[in-house]
Amino acid sequence: MSELIKLLVWCLSVYGVANGVTTSPMLYSFRAWAYSKVKLLGYLLGCDRCIAFWAGLLASVMLYSPTGCLLFDGFLASAAIIVLSRYDHSAFSGG
């Protein structure tokens, strides 16, 4: 498999995890519970860039490291979710 395809699959996987954790209605009660217990954790679970960073670190350790550096993988995941969420929102809003 080419490196570009691996990178694309990695970015889309991290995006899916981050988007699911931060916006899924099924996890709303968990996010609310976490916010009531530890406000910082509640904010973290609602921040797609924050979750993407940590999901990128986890994916790099467990699956594949696109950059070879754990910290850069986290930043790459945050950047990927910014780009993909902008595309996602513009694709479904008609603009």
Side-chain angles (χ1 to χ4, degrees):
M1 189 183 303
S2 75
E3 290 298 313
L4 184 60
I5 299 296
K6 287 180 184 178
L7 177 63
L8 183 63
V9 169
W10 186 86
C11 287
L12 289 173
S13 300
V14 169
Y15 174 76
V17 168
N19 193 31
V21 169
T22 57
T23 63
S24 173
M26 292 188 312
L27 293 176
Y28 175 76
S29 59
F30 175 71
R31 289 190 303 268
W33 174 83
Y35 181 79
S36 71
K37 298 296 180 189
V38 180
K39 287 194 189 310
L40 183 61
L41 180 60
Y43 285 129
L44 174 70
L45 292 174
C47 173
D48 58 352
R49 291 176 205 120
C50 305
I51 292 295
F53 179 83
W54 294 108
L57 292 180
L58 186 64
S60 296
V61 169
M62 295 180 66
L63 302 172
Y64 167 72
S65 176
T67 66
C69 175
L70 195 61
L71 185 62
F72 288 160
D73 291 340
F75 290 132
L76 176 64
S78 292
I81 196 163
I82 291 169
V83 170
L84 290 171
S85 63
R86 290 192 191 273
Y87 172 74
D88 186 23
H89 294 307
S90 66
F92 291 110
S93 67

